[in-house]
């Protein structure tokens, strides 16, 4: 890949990362409820799952999604069910006006647990989204000749993917968290819970129907 193609590929992946979908909706919902800085695990999970798909395409293993369609469908249903469960919990969450400030500074142990849970959730959401593999199958050959791709070239592609995805996802999370600060009244917090639950449910529906 030349420098020009590398930059073009980086921009394409960045645009892909901010395209509305299950992962983006889940990320916005999490950022609205917990703050942008709590989304690192979720964003990293989605990114690493995307990279796993990328490596499958590079290694010529894209047929796995069809070969294991039953297992893939079961995983997608589990991911959708989990998102619906989160939406139900947020919808019925108690209304605490100062809750936004309270959740912004959790204990270290809770931060670690939240990071790991977010990472697992991000992996699950991205892994059950066929759009991810279709993107790499369609676009990667435009920028890279896979028959000539060396190990060093694969490392460069993976690196470009990692930084483009994390940049796009965290920009979304941090932007959503700024809107979160506007919710300081009882009705506003209730509305925030409803919006968050709606986004979570939308993410679950997208995962289920794709």
């Amino acid at each position: 890949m030349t420098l020009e193609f590398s930059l073009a590929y980086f921009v394409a992946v960045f645009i892909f990362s901010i395209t509305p979908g299950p992962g983006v909706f889940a990320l916005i919902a999490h950022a609205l409820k917990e703050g942008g800085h709590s989304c690192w695990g979720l964003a990293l999970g989605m990114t690493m799952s995307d990279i796993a798909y990328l490596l499958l395409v590079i290694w010529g293993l894209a047929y796995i999604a069809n070969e294991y369609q039953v297992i893939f469908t079961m995983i997608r249903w589990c991911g959708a069910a989990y998102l619906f469960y989160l939406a139900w919990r947020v919808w019925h969450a108690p209304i605490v006006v100062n809750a936004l400030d309270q959740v912004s500074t959790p204990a270290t142990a809770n931060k670690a647990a939240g990071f790991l849970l977010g990472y697992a959730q991000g992996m699950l959401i991205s892994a059950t989204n066929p759009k991810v593999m279709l993107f790499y199958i369609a676009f990667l050959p435009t920028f890279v000749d896979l028959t000539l791709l060396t190990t060093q070239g694969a490392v460069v592609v993976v690196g470009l993917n990692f930084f483009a995805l994390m940049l796009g996802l965290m920009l979304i999370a941090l932007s959503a968290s700024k809107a979160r600060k506007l919710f300081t009244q009882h009705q506003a917090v209730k509305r925030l819970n409803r919006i968050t639950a709606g986004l979570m449910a939308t993410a679950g529906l997208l995962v289920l129907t794709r």
Side-chain angles (χ1 to χ4, degrees):
M1 291 178 72
T2 64
L3 178 60
E4 292 79 8
F5 272 91
S6 296
L7 290 175
Y9 181 74
F10 182 91
V11 171
V13 175
F14 174 82
I15 294 174
F16 170 71
S17 71
I18 61 177
T19 301
V24 169
F25 281 122
L27 191 73
I28 293 174
H30 192 79
L32 284 173
K33 188 62 181 175
E34 306 289 344
H37 292 291
S38 69
C39 294
W40 283 102
L42 184 61
L44 184 60
M46 287 190 285
T47 297
M48 296 309 295
S49 185
D50 274 38
I51 289 176
Y53 269 131
L54 170 65
L55 291 175
L56 287 176
V57 173
I58 290 177
W59 293 333
L61 300 179
Y63 66 89
I64 285 180
N66 292 323
E67 292 293 327
Y68 299 96
Q69 188 62 42
V70 174
I71 296 177
F72 188 85
T73 300
M74 291 178 63
I75 294 174
R76 186 170 70 245
W77 287 352
C78 289
Y82 178 66
L83 288 171
F84 287 136
Y85 167 71
L86 291 178
W88 180 85
R89 285 194 59 184
V90 173
W91 185 276
H92 294 283
I95 307 301
V96 182
V97 174
N98 295 323
L100 297 182
D101 295 329
Q102 293 172 6
V103 299
S104 62
T105 56
T108 302
N110 291 336
K111 282 184 178 181
F115 179 88
L116 292 176
L117 182 61
Y119 182 86
Q121 182 183 351
M123 287 284 290
L124 186 62
I125 292 172
S126 188
T128 56
N129 184 5
K131 183 185 74 171
V132 176
M133 179 171 282
L134 292 176
F135 171 80
Y136 293 119
I137 291 175
F139 282 90
L140 188 60
T142 303
F143 298 92
V144 182
D145 186 346
L146 297 179
T147 62
L148 302 177
L149 187 64
T150 63
T151 300
Q152 182 179 2
V155 171
V156 172
V157 172
V158 168
L160 289 171
N161 261 76
F162 180 85
F163 288 109
L165 289 170
M166 288 298 295
L167 176 62
L169 293 173
M170 287 310 299
L171 280 177
I172 290 175
L174 294 174
S175 297
S177 70
K178 290 185 179 298
R180 167 179 171 266
K181 297 177 181 178
L182 300 175
F183 297 89
T184 57
Q185 302 299 321
H186 183 277
Q187 287 299 319
V189 174
K190 182 178 181 179
R191 194 174 301 115
L192 172 63
N193 285 351
R194 298 296 187 262
I195 293 172
T196 302
L199 289 171
M200 281 291 187
T202 300
L205 185 62
L206 288 174
V207 169
L208 191 62
T209 57
R210 282 174 181 256

